[in-house]
């Protein structure tokens, strides 16, 4: 195989494709020239290698060249670094320095680009930024502390008759099933507000420690409200029973919202869309819990409400901060039936990313991906 056989004339930057007529590379050393008064000699100080520049003479052509031209312009003007598939140099992570577009009436149906790329490199010096994951965990801890204090002030079985205790026992038993906890661990604490509060919080935290950041897992706390049917408030004992059951519901759901937010903060999402869906789920839970009322229609405790508000702000900031660095989900339709391995190489210049394509699209036969059918893929930032 000769060098001509290894070279193609097609390149790609981000998702925009183009043809390459020629290319060049600039380089050298960064030299600081020191000149001294009254002397003819100089000292040339070597300050390291000059960053390589990749100069590409590219063009788009064809009946739809206007769309291809605009796609390339959009890719070149998009902020941040991007992936360049260079026909001579392979796959590079670069930033755009400058580009120049040329179109003529003599060569209709084509647009010529002179593009200068620089290596993206890595930031060499530390920057100060808040750890948004830690901020979510701190806010979640504050929420749990607030709801525990509120529960201990609201919940009381002093003077409660046997039927009321039995009703609370039934609610705790049903809730223990949802929490996958031993019902005896909760029922044994039924007359101690402090012990019951700690037991409920520990059970909810334990459940979420094994959960995922999927939308269904994050929303599960909202389902627990169905375990607490309305109670007719026709006697003082009935009102106290209703307050007790309301307190149990609130501590479970509020702790679920806090633990779900922590689970989200601990999760590395594969794409911006999946991070956004999880964020929407947990903020829906927080908003719903904030609107809880007691049996007499009074809103949730002010301290708990504001701690939940702080948690919501922290989790939104965390997902937005980390989500900016994630790829977007895009649609790609292969022209013909081909292996997922080849699609991964074509899209990313990296055949090892075949697994994501197969999993994301539930492909039964990765070696034969049908052409003409859209696939969900990741669009690299």
């Amino acid at each position: 195989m000769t060098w001509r056989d290894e070279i193609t004339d097609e390149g790609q930057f981000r998702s925009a494709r183009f043809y390459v007529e020629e290319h060049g590379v600039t380089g050298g050393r960064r030299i600081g020239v020191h000149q001294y008064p009254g002397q003819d000699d100089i000292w040339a100080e070597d300050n390291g290698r000059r960053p390589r520049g990749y100069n590409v003479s590219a063009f788009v052509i064809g009946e739809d060249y206007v769309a291809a031209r605009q796609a390339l312009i959009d890719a070149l003007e998009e902020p941040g670094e991007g992936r360049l598939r260079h026909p001579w140099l392979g796959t590079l992570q670069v930033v755009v320095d400058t580009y120049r577009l040329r179109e003529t009436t003599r060569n209709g149906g084509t647009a010529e680009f002179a593009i200068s790329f620089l290596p993206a490199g890595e930031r060499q010096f530390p920057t100060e930024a808040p750890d948004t994951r830690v901020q979510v965990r701190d806010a979640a801890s504050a929420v749990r502390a607030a709801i525990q204090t509120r529960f201990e002030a609201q919940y009381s079985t002093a003077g409660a008759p046997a039927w009321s205790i039995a009703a609370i026992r039934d609610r705790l038993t049903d809730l223990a099933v949802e929490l996958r906890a031993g019902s005896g661990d909760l029922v044994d604490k039924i007359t101690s507000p402090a012990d019951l509060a700690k037991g409920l919080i520990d059970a909810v935290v334990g459940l979420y420690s094994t959960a995922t950041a999927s939308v269904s897992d994050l929303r599960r706390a909202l389902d627990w409200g169905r375990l607490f049917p309305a109670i007719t408030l026709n006697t003082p004992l009935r009102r106290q029973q209703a307050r007790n059951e309301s307190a149990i519901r609130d501590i479970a759901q509020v702790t679920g919202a806090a633990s779900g937010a922590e689970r989200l903060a601990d999760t590395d999402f594969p794409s911006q869309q999946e991070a956004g869906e999880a964020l929407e789920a947990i903020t829906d839970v927080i908003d719903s819990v904030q609107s809880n009322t007691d049996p007499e229609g009074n809103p949730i405790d002010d301290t708990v409400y504001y701690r939940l508000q702080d948690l919501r702000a922290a989790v939104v900031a965390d997902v937005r901060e980390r989500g900016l660095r994630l790829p977007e989900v895009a649609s790609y339709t292969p022209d013909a039936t081909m292996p997922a391995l080849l699609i991964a190489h074509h899209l990313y210049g990296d055949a090892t990313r075949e697994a994501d394509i197969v999993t994301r699209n539930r492909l039964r036969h990765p070696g034969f991906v049908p052409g003409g059918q859209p696939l969900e893929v990741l669009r690299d930032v």
Side-chain angles (χ1 to χ4, degrees):
M1 179 181 292
T2 67
W3 66 271
R4 292 182 184 277
D5 298 319
E6 297 179 2
I7 299 298
T8 103
D9 61 354
E10 186 176 355
Q12 181 176 336
F13 180 59
R14 304 190 198 275
S15 61
R17 298 182 186 180
F18 50 84
Y19 294 98
V20 177
E21 183 177 9
E22 63 179 15
H23 88 109
V25 178
T26 61
R29 308 293 297 177
R30 290 183 287 114
I31 302 299
V33 179
H34 299 270
Q35 304 181 60
Y36 305 99
Q39 297 189 25
D40 296 334
D41 294 334
I42 64 165
W43 172 44
E45 180 183 5
D46 190 333
N47 291 310
R49 182 171 64 83
R50 186 180 299 276
R52 291 194 182 109
Y54 306 108
N55 303 311
V56 176
S57 295
F59 65 93
V60 294
I61 191 170
E63 294 182 358
D64 61 345
Y65 95 96
V66 173
R69 177 197 63 190
Q70 190 58 47
L72 182 53
I73 290 174
D74 291 342
L76 294 172
E77 294 184 345
E78 185 175 326
E81 63 187 70
R83 190 184 300 272
L84 169 66
R85 286 203 301 113
H86 195 292
W88 276 271
L89 303 178
T91 301
L92 304 168
Q93 200 69 15
V94 298
V95 294
V96 178
D97 184 15
T98 63
Y99 77 88
R100 181 170 58 85
L101 168 64
R102 180 174 179 268
E103 294 177 275
T104 67
T105 55
R106 180 187 298 274
N107 299 321
T110 183
E112 301 174 359
F113 288 81
I115 311 169
S116 295
F117 296 101
L118 292 173
E122 296 182 0
R123 186 181 294 272
Q124 298 294 317
F125 301 99
T127 57
E128 182 177 344
D131 189 332
T132 54
R133 297 186 197 235
V134 171
Q135 290 178 334
V136 171
R137 297 188 193 106
D138 291 345
S141 296
V143 167
R144 285 192 289 267
I147 193 61
Q148 182 170 355
T149 299
R150 177 57 182 165
F151 180 89
E152 293 175 12
Q154 182 180 357
Y155 180 89
S156 174
T157 57
W163 59 262
S164 179
I165 298 294
I168 295 173
R169 183 182 296 111
D170 290 342
R171 300 292 86 76
L172 290 174
T173 300
D174 293 340
L175 183 59
V177 173
E178 297 289 332
L179 300 179
R180 301 171 190 170
S183 60
D185 294 339
L186 299 178
V187 171
D188 291 346
K189 302 176 176 67
I190 198 169
T191 58
S192 172
D195 291 342
L196 182 56
K198 185 176 184 305
L200 286 166
I201 289 174
D202 288 347
V204 175
V205 171
L207 175 68
Y208 276 86
S209 68
T210 60
T212 67
S214 66
V215 171
S216 58
D217 279 357
L218 293 176
R219 291 184 184 274
R220 67 172 62 192
L222 297 181
D223 295 335
W224 301 337
R226 61 179 170 77
L227 304 176
F228 301 90
I231 297 175
T232 304
L233 308 179
N234 52 2
T235 67
L237 290 176
R238 288 288 187 186
R239 285 192 286 272
Q240 182 58 43
Q241 179 194 352
R243 283 194 292 271
N244 286 337
E245 293 191 13
S246 172
I248 294 171
R249 177 205 64 192
D250 284 351
I251 196 171
Q253 290 189 320
V254 169
T255 305
S259 299
E262 285 182 312
R263 197 71 193 130
L264 189 151
D266 290 336
T267 300
D268 293 319
F269 293 95
S271 71
Q272 292 183 17
Q273 281 79 351
E274 284 152 303
E277 290 169 1
L279 175 61
E280 182 180 0
I282 196 61
T283 52
D284 284 350
V285 172
I286 294 173
D287 293 344
S288 177
V289 171
Q290 282 183 304
S291 66
N292 279 0
T293 59
D294 68 13
E296 297 172 342
N298 299 311
I300 198 167
D301 176 71
D302 283 351
T303 301
V304 175
Y305 181 93
Y306 289 118
R307 295 294 82 76
L308 284 168
Q309 195 72 4
D310 293 341
L311 176 64
R312 191 185 197 281
V315 76
V316 168
D318 173 55
V319 173
R320 287 182 175 171
E321 167 67 22
R322 294 189 292 125
L324 289 175
R325 302 189 292 269
L326 296 175
E328 298 178 351
V329 172
S331 178
Y332 170 75
T333 304
D335 297 331
T337 298
M338 63 183 69
L341 194 74
L342 184 58
I343 295 175
H345 178 73
H346 177 71
L347 290 176
Y348 311 119
D350 182 0
T352 63
R353 296 177 66 175
E354 170 204 22
D356 179 74
I357 296 174
V358 173
T359 302
R360 188 171 292 278
N361 295 278
R362 298 181 177 88
L363 299 176
R364 297 179 60 187
H365 303 291
F368 300 93
V369 181
Q373 297 185 13
L375 299 174
E376 181 181 286
V377 297
L378 295 180
R379 178 178 179 272
D380 287 343
V381 294

PDB file of all heavy atoms in Angstrom, residues 83 85 91 338-359 363 366-367 369 380:
ATOM      1  N   ARG A  83     -13.702  18.382  17.435  1.00  0.00           N
ATOM      2  CA  ARG A  83     -12.933  17.285  16.863  1.00  0.00           C
ATOM      3  C   ARG A  83     -12.777  17.493  15.348  1.00  0.00           C
ATOM      4  O   ARG A  83     -13.752  17.688  14.633  1.00  0.00           O
ATOM      5  CB  ARG A  83     -13.640  15.954  17.137  1.00  0.00           C
ATOM      6  CG  ARG A  83     -12.792  14.722  16.777  1.00  0.00           C
ATOM      7  CD  ARG A  83     -13.606  13.458  16.985  1.00  0.00           C
ATOM      8  NE  ARG A  83     -14.040  13.326  18.357  1.00  0.00           N
ATOM      9  CZ  ARG A  83     -13.335  12.749  19.313  1.00  0.00           C
ATOM     10  NH1 ARG A  83     -12.153  12.241  19.030  1.00  0.00           N
ATOM     11  NH2 ARG A  83     -13.807  12.657  20.538  1.00  0.00           N
ATOM     12  N   ARG A  85     -11.393  15.712  11.912  1.00  0.00           N
ATOM     13  CA  ARG A  85     -10.913  14.520  11.221  1.00  0.00           C
ATOM     14  C   ARG A  85     -10.118  14.981  10.003  1.00  0.00           C
ATOM     15  O   ARG A  85     -10.678  15.459   9.021  1.00  0.00           O
ATOM     16  CB  ARG A  85     -12.070  13.610  10.807  1.00  0.00           C
ATOM     17  CG  ARG A  85     -12.669  12.860  11.968  1.00  0.00           C
ATOM     18  CD  ARG A  85     -13.403  11.588  11.568  1.00  0.00           C
ATOM     19  NE  ARG A  85     -14.499  11.851  10.649  1.00  0.00           N
ATOM     20  CZ  ARG A  85     -14.522  11.450   9.396  1.00  0.00           C
ATOM     21  NH1 ARG A  85     -13.486  10.809   8.863  1.00  0.00           N
ATOM     22  NH2 ARG A  85     -15.566  11.712   8.629  1.00  0.00           N
ATOM     23  N   THR A  91      -7.317  12.128  13.624  1.00  0.00           N
ATOM     24  CA  THR A  91      -8.270  12.849  14.482  1.00  0.00           C
ATOM     25  C   THR A  91      -7.519  13.742  15.453  1.00  0.00           C
ATOM     26  O   THR A  91      -6.620  13.294  16.172  1.00  0.00           O
ATOM     27  CB  THR A  91      -9.151  11.856  15.250  1.00  0.00           C
ATOM     28  OG1 THR A  91      -9.858  11.033  14.312  1.00  0.00           O
ATOM     29  CG2 THR A  91     -10.160  12.598  16.118  1.00  0.00           C
ATOM     30  N   MET A 338     -24.379  -1.293   7.512  1.00  0.00           N
ATOM     31  CA  MET A 338     -22.968  -1.395   7.842  1.00  0.00           C
ATOM     32  C   MET A 338     -22.820  -1.771   9.310  1.00  0.00           C
ATOM     33  O   MET A 338     -23.762  -1.620  10.101  1.00  0.00           O
ATOM     34  CB  MET A 338     -22.241  -0.077   7.550  1.00  0.00           C
ATOM     35  CG  MET A 338     -22.721   1.112   8.374  1.00  0.00           C
ATOM     36  SD  MET A 338     -21.884   2.662   7.941  1.00  0.00           S
ATOM     37  CE  MET A 338     -22.559   2.964   6.302  1.00  0.00           C
ATOM     38  N   PRO A 339     -21.651  -2.228   9.744  1.00  0.00           N
ATOM     39  CA  PRO A 339     -21.435  -2.559  11.158  1.00  0.00           C
ATOM     40  C   PRO A 339     -21.433  -1.300  12.036  1.00  0.00           C
ATOM     41  O   PRO A 339     -21.026  -0.221  11.589  1.00  0.00           O
ATOM     42  CB  PRO A 339     -20.059  -3.238  11.166  1.00  0.00           C
ATOM     43  CG  PRO A 339     -19.779  -3.593   9.753  1.00  0.00           C
ATOM     44  CD  PRO A 339     -20.486  -2.588   8.906  1.00  0.00           C
ATOM     45  N   ALA A 340     -21.864  -1.455  13.282  1.00  0.00           N
ATOM     46  CA  ALA A 340     -21.811  -0.340  14.235  1.00  0.00           C
ATOM     47  C   ALA A 340     -20.372   0.116  14.437  1.00  0.00           C
ATOM     48  O   ALA A 340     -20.118   1.298  14.711  1.00  0.00           O
ATOM     49  CB  ALA A 340     -22.438  -0.756  15.555  1.00  0.00           C
ATOM     50  N   LEU A 341     -19.429  -0.803  14.311  1.00  0.00           N
ATOM     51  CA  LEU A 341     -18.012  -0.464  14.453  1.00  0.00           C
ATOM     52  C   LEU A 341     -17.599   0.586  13.428  1.00  0.00           C
ATOM     53  O   LEU A 341     -16.906   1.561  13.741  1.00  0.00           O
ATOM     54  CB  LEU A 341     -17.180  -1.730  14.264  1.00  0.00           C
ATOM     55  CG  LEU A 341     -15.718  -1.694  14.690  1.00  0.00           C
ATOM     56  CD1 LEU A 341     -15.623  -1.721  16.203  1.00  0.00           C
ATOM     57  CD2 LEU A 341     -14.978  -2.884  14.116  1.00  0.00           C
ATOM     58  N   LEU A 342     -18.071   0.413  12.200  1.00  0.00           N
ATOM     59  CA  LEU A 342     -17.734   1.351  11.138  1.00  0.00           C
ATOM     60  C   LEU A 342     -18.422   2.693  11.354  1.00  0.00           C
ATOM     61  O   LEU A 342     -17.850   3.761  11.081  1.00  0.00           O
ATOM     62  CB  LEU A 342     -18.138   0.764   9.786  1.00  0.00           C
ATOM     63  CG  LEU A 342     -17.769   1.586   8.531  1.00  0.00           C
ATOM     64  CD1 LEU A 342     -16.268   1.816   8.475  1.00  0.00           C
ATOM     65  CD2 LEU A 342     -18.263   0.884   7.274  1.00  0.00           C
ATOM     66  N   ILE A 343     -19.661   2.662  11.853  1.00  0.00           N
ATOM     67  CA  ILE A 343     -20.377   3.916  12.141  1.00  0.00           C
ATOM     68  C   ILE A 343     -19.628   4.704  13.205  1.00  0.00           C
ATOM     69  O   ILE A 343     -19.462   5.927  13.103  1.00  0.00           O
ATOM     70  CB  ILE A 343     -21.815   3.613  12.575  1.00  0.00           C
ATOM     71  CG1 ILE A 343     -22.601   2.976  11.418  1.00  0.00           C
ATOM     72  CG2 ILE A 343     -22.517   4.883  13.056  1.00  0.00           C
ATOM     73  CD1 ILE A 343     -23.991   2.528  11.801  1.00  0.00           C
ATOM     74  N   ALA A 344     -19.171   4.023  14.268  1.00  0.00           N
ATOM     75  CA  ALA A 344     -18.426   4.703  15.330  1.00  0.00           C
ATOM     76  C   ALA A 344     -17.143   5.324  14.786  1.00  0.00           C
ATOM     77  O   ALA A 344     -16.794   6.461  15.131  1.00  0.00           O
ATOM     78  CB  ALA A 344     -18.105   3.716  16.450  1.00  0.00           C
ATOM     79  N   HIS A 345     -16.462   4.593  13.930  1.00  0.00           N
ATOM     80  CA  HIS A 345     -15.234   5.135  13.343  1.00  0.00           C
ATOM     81  C   HIS A 345     -15.533   6.340  12.452  1.00  0.00           C
ATOM     82  O   HIS A 345     -14.800   7.336  12.459  1.00  0.00           O
ATOM     83  CB  HIS A 345     -14.537   4.047  12.521  1.00  0.00           C
ATOM     84  CG  HIS A 345     -13.292   4.535  11.834  1.00  0.00           C
ATOM     85  ND1 HIS A 345     -12.128   4.795  12.512  1.00  0.00           N
ATOM     86  CD2 HIS A 345     -13.048   4.837  10.525  1.00  0.00           C
ATOM     87  CE1 HIS A 345     -11.212   5.228  11.656  1.00  0.00           C
ATOM     88  NE2 HIS A 345     -11.740   5.267  10.450  1.00  0.00           N
ATOM     89  N   HIS A 346     -16.626   6.254  11.710  1.00  0.00           N
ATOM     90  CA  HIS A 346     -16.990   7.342  10.806  1.00  0.00           C
ATOM     91  C   HIS A 346     -17.392   8.596  11.585  1.00  0.00           C
ATOM     92  O   HIS A 346     -17.011   9.714  11.211  1.00  0.00           O
ATOM     93  CB  HIS A 346     -18.146   6.891   9.914  1.00  0.00           C
ATOM     94  CG  HIS A 346     -18.638   7.966   8.987  1.00  0.00           C
ATOM     95  ND1 HIS A 346     -17.917   8.412   7.903  1.00  0.00           N
ATOM     96  CD2 HIS A 346     -19.794   8.700   9.005  1.00  0.00           C
ATOM     97  CE1 HIS A 346     -18.591   9.377   7.294  1.00  0.00           C
ATOM     98  NE2 HIS A 346     -19.732   9.561   7.946  1.00  0.00           N
ATOM     99  N   LEU A 347     -18.157   8.426  12.674  1.00  0.00           N
ATOM    100  CA  LEU A 347     -18.653   9.579  13.428  1.00  0.00           C
ATOM    101  C   LEU A 347     -17.593  10.188  14.337  1.00  0.00           C
ATOM    102  O   LEU A 347     -17.504  11.416  14.468  1.00  0.00           O
ATOM    103  CB  LEU A 347     -19.859   9.169  14.276  1.00  0.00           C
ATOM    104  CG  LEU A 347     -21.159   8.852  13.536  1.00  0.00           C
ATOM    105  CD1 LEU A 347     -22.214   8.358  14.518  1.00  0.00           C
ATOM    106  CD2 LEU A 347     -21.683  10.087  12.809  1.00  0.00           C
ATOM    107  N   TYR A 348     -16.824   9.328  15.001  1.00  0.00           N
ATOM    108  CA  TYR A 348     -15.936   9.813  16.042  1.00  0.00           C
ATOM    109  C   TYR A 348     -14.456   9.593  15.745  1.00  0.00           C
ATOM    110  O   TYR A 348     -13.609  10.075  16.510  1.00  0.00           O
ATOM    111  CB  TYR A 348     -16.263   9.109  17.379  1.00  0.00           C
ATOM    112  CG  TYR A 348     -17.726   9.096  17.739  1.00  0.00           C
ATOM    113  CD1 TYR A 348     -18.419   7.900  17.897  1.00  0.00           C
ATOM    114  CD2 TYR A 348     -18.423  10.287  17.930  1.00  0.00           C
ATOM    115  CE1 TYR A 348     -19.766   7.890  18.237  1.00  0.00           C
ATOM    116  CE2 TYR A 348     -19.773  10.291  18.264  1.00  0.00           C
ATOM    117  CZ  TYR A 348     -20.426   9.078  18.408  1.00  0.00           C
ATOM    118  OH  TYR A 348     -21.753   9.072  18.737  1.00  0.00           O
ATOM    119  N   GLY A 349     -14.144   8.833  14.684  1.00  0.00           N
ATOM    120  CA  GLY A 349     -12.759   8.454  14.475  1.00  0.00           C
ATOM    121  C   GLY A 349     -12.264   7.517  15.555  1.00  0.00           C
ATOM    122  O   GLY A 349     -11.067   7.407  15.805  1.00  0.00           O
ATOM    123  N   ASP A 350     -13.192   6.819  16.218  1.00  0.00           N
ATOM    124  CA  ASP A 350     -12.856   5.957  17.357  1.00  0.00           C
ATOM    125  C   ASP A 350     -13.818   4.770  17.353  1.00  0.00           C
ATOM    126  O   ASP A 350     -14.962   4.875  17.808  1.00  0.00           O
ATOM    127  CB  ASP A 350     -12.972   6.749  18.657  1.00  0.00           C
ATOM    128  CG  ASP A 350     -12.584   5.934  19.886  1.00  0.00           C
ATOM    129  OD1 ASP A 350     -12.225   4.748  19.725  1.00  0.00           O
ATOM    130  OD2 ASP A 350     -12.650   6.480  21.004  1.00  0.00           O
ATOM    131  N   ALA A 351     -13.349   3.626  16.863  1.00  0.00           N
ATOM    132  CA  ALA A 351     -14.213   2.446  16.749  1.00  0.00           C
ATOM    133  C   ALA A 351     -14.612   1.884  18.100  1.00  0.00           C
ATOM    134  O   ALA A 351     -15.609   1.156  18.199  1.00  0.00           O
ATOM    135  CB  ALA A 351     -13.505   1.373  15.920  1.00  0.00           C
ATOM    136  N   THR A 352     -13.881   2.226  19.168  1.00  0.00           N
ATOM    137  CA  THR A 352     -14.215   1.680  20.487  1.00  0.00           C
ATOM    138  C   THR A 352     -15.523   2.241  21.038  1.00  0.00           C
ATOM    139  O   THR A 352     -16.051   1.724  22.022  1.00  0.00           O
ATOM    140  CB  THR A 352     -13.085   1.970  21.490  1.00  0.00           C
ATOM    141  OG1 THR A 352     -12.946   3.391  21.660  1.00  0.00           O
ATOM    142  CG2 THR A 352     -11.766   1.392  21.006  1.00  0.00           C
ATOM    143  N   ARG A 353     -16.051   3.293  20.398  1.00  0.00           N
ATOM    144  CA  ARG A 353     -17.318   3.862  20.873  1.00  0.00           C
ATOM    145  C   ARG A 353     -18.523   3.164  20.249  1.00  0.00           C
ATOM    146  O   ARG A 353     -19.645   3.631  20.352  1.00  0.00           O
ATOM    147  CB  ARG A 353     -17.342   5.360  20.581  1.00  0.00           C
ATOM    148  CG  ARG A 353     -16.262   6.104  21.363  1.00  0.00           C
ATOM    149  CD  ARG A 353     -16.205   7.579  21.041  1.00  0.00           C
ATOM    150  NE  ARG A 353     -17.395   8.287  21.468  1.00  0.00           N
ATOM    151  CZ  ARG A 353     -17.550   9.599  21.384  1.00  0.00           C
ATOM    152  NH1 ARG A 353     -16.567  10.337  20.906  1.00  0.00           N
ATOM    153  NH2 ARG A 353     -18.667  10.169  21.776  1.00  0.00           N
ATOM    154  N   GLU A 354     -18.276   2.033  19.624  1.00  0.00           N
ATOM    155  CA  GLU A 354     -19.359   1.207  19.075  1.00  0.00           C
ATOM    156  C   GLU A 354     -20.363   0.836  20.160  1.00  0.00           C
ATOM    157  O   GLU A 354     -21.576   0.820  19.922  1.00  0.00           O
ATOM    158  CB  GLU A 354     -18.773  -0.053  18.447  1.00  0.00           C
ATOM    159  CG  GLU A 354     -19.819  -1.092  18.052  1.00  0.00           C
ATOM    160  CD  GLU A 354     -19.250  -2.498  17.976  1.00  0.00           C
ATOM    161  OE1 GLU A 354     -18.210  -2.750  18.602  1.00  0.00           O
ATOM    162  OE2 GLU A 354     -19.853  -3.335  17.289  1.00  0.00           O
ATOM    163  N   ALA A 355     -19.878   0.511  21.362  1.00  0.00           N
ATOM    164  CA  ALA A 355     -20.753   0.018  22.432  1.00  0.00           C
ATOM    165  C   ALA A 355     -21.847   1.016  22.775  1.00  0.00           C
ATOM    166  O   ALA A 355     -22.996   0.639  23.033  1.00  0.00           O
ATOM    167  CB  ALA A 355     -19.924  -0.314  23.672  1.00  0.00           C
ATOM    168  N   ASP A 356     -21.524   2.315  22.787  1.00  0.00           N
ATOM    169  CA  ASP A 356     -22.536   3.323  23.103  1.00  0.00           C
ATOM    170  C   ASP A 356     -23.624   3.351  22.047  1.00  0.00           C
ATOM    171  O   ASP A 356     -24.810   3.470  22.371  1.00  0.00           O
ATOM    172  CB  ASP A 356     -21.886   4.706  23.219  1.00  0.00           C
ATOM    173  CG  ASP A 356     -22.902   5.794  23.526  1.00  0.00           C
ATOM    174  OD1 ASP A 356     -23.367   5.853  24.672  1.00  0.00           O
ATOM    175  OD2 ASP A 356     -23.254   6.549  22.600  1.00  0.00           O
ATOM    176  N   ILE A 357     -23.255   3.226  20.778  1.00  0.00           N
ATOM    177  CA  ILE A 357     -24.244   3.216  19.699  1.00  0.00           C
ATOM    178  C   ILE A 357     -25.152   2.004  19.825  1.00  0.00           C
ATOM    179  O   ILE A 357     -26.372   2.093  19.673  1.00  0.00           O
ATOM    180  CB  ILE A 357     -23.534   3.243  18.326  1.00  0.00           C
ATOM    181  CG1 ILE A 357     -22.760   4.553  18.152  1.00  0.00           C
ATOM    182  CG2 ILE A 357     -24.539   3.068  17.193  1.00  0.00           C
ATOM    183  CD1 ILE A 357     -21.919   4.605  16.890  1.00  0.00           C
ATOM    184  N   VAL A 358     -24.561   0.842  20.111  1.00  0.00           N
ATOM    185  CA  VAL A 358     -25.335  -0.389  20.235  1.00  0.00           C
ATOM    186  C   VAL A 358     -26.304  -0.301  21.413  1.00  0.00           C
ATOM    187  O   VAL A 358     -27.492  -0.612  21.284  1.00  0.00           O
ATOM    188  CB  VAL A 358     -24.388  -1.600  20.396  1.00  0.00           C
ATOM    189  CG1 VAL A 358     -25.185  -2.863  20.706  1.00  0.00           C
ATOM    190  CG2 VAL A 358     -23.563  -1.799  19.137  1.00  0.00           C
ATOM    191  N   THR A 359     -25.815   0.151  22.571  1.00  0.00           N
ATOM    192  CA  THR A 359     -26.658   0.234  23.762  1.00  0.00           C
ATOM    193  C   THR A 359     -27.745   1.284  23.610  1.00  0.00           C
ATOM    194  O   THR A 359     -28.907   1.061  23.936  1.00  0.00           O
ATOM    195  CB  THR A 359     -25.790   0.561  24.991  1.00  0.00           C
ATOM    196  OG1 THR A 359     -24.785  -0.443  25.135  1.00  0.00           O
ATOM    197  CG2 THR A 359     -26.634   0.618  26.252  1.00  0.00           C
ATOM    198  N   LEU A 363     -29.488  -2.214  19.528  1.00  0.00           N
ATOM    199  CA  LEU A 363     -29.261  -2.926  18.272  1.00  0.00           C
ATOM    200  C   LEU A 363     -29.088  -4.415  18.537  1.00  0.00           C
ATOM    201  O   LEU A 363     -28.216  -4.824  19.314  1.00  0.00           O
ATOM    202  CB  LEU A 363     -28.020  -2.370  17.570  1.00  0.00           C
ATOM    203  CG  LEU A 363     -28.083  -0.888  17.173  1.00  0.00           C
ATOM    204  CD1 LEU A 363     -26.757  -0.444  16.565  1.00  0.00           C
ATOM    205  CD2 LEU A 363     -29.224  -0.646  16.195  1.00  0.00           C
ATOM    206  N   PRO A 366     -25.302  -5.859  15.912  1.00  0.00           N
ATOM    207  CA  PRO A 366     -24.373  -4.732  15.705  1.00  0.00           C
ATOM    208  C   PRO A 366     -23.588  -4.821  14.405  1.00  0.00           C
ATOM    209  O   PRO A 366     -23.113  -3.807  13.903  1.00  0.00           O
ATOM    210  CB  PRO A 366     -23.444  -4.823  16.918  1.00  0.00           C
ATOM    211  CG  PRO A 366     -24.218  -5.582  17.945  1.00  0.00           C
ATOM    212  CD  PRO A 366     -25.055  -6.561  17.179  1.00  0.00           C
ATOM    213  N   GLY A 367     -23.444  -6.019  13.859  1.00  0.00           N
ATOM    214  CA  GLY A 367     -22.692  -6.155  12.625  1.00  0.00           C
ATOM    215  C   GLY A 367     -23.474  -5.772  11.388  1.00  0.00           C
ATOM    216  O   GLY A 367     -22.897  -5.610  10.303  1.00  0.00           O
ATOM    217  N   VAL A 369     -26.217  -2.958  10.865  1.00  0.00           N
ATOM    218  CA  VAL A 369     -27.088  -1.835  11.218  1.00  0.00           C
ATOM    219  C   VAL A 369     -27.767  -1.362   9.939  1.00  0.00           C
ATOM    220  O   VAL A 369     -27.091  -0.934   8.993  1.00  0.00           O
ATOM    221  CB  VAL A 369     -26.286  -0.687  11.855  1.00  0.00           C
ATOM    222  CG1 VAL A 369     -27.220   0.452  12.239  1.00  0.00           C
ATOM    223  CG2 VAL A 369     -25.520  -1.190  13.071  1.00  0.00           C
ATOM    224  N   ASP A 380     -20.309  15.129  19.756  1.00  0.00           N
ATOM    225  CA  ASP A 380     -19.253  15.625  20.621  1.00  0.00           C
ATOM    226  C   ASP A 380     -19.230  17.137  20.641  1.00  0.00           C
ATOM    227  O   ASP A 380     -19.475  17.793  19.636  1.00  0.00           O
ATOM    228  CB  ASP A 380     -17.885  15.119  20.151  1.00  0.00           C
ATOM    229  CG  ASP A 380     -17.698  13.643  20.466  1.00  0.00           C
ATOM    230  OD1 ASP A 380     -18.450  13.133  21.308  1.00  0.00           O
ATOM    231  OD2 ASP A 380     -16.824  13.004  19.873  1.00  0.00           O
TER     232      ASP A 380
END
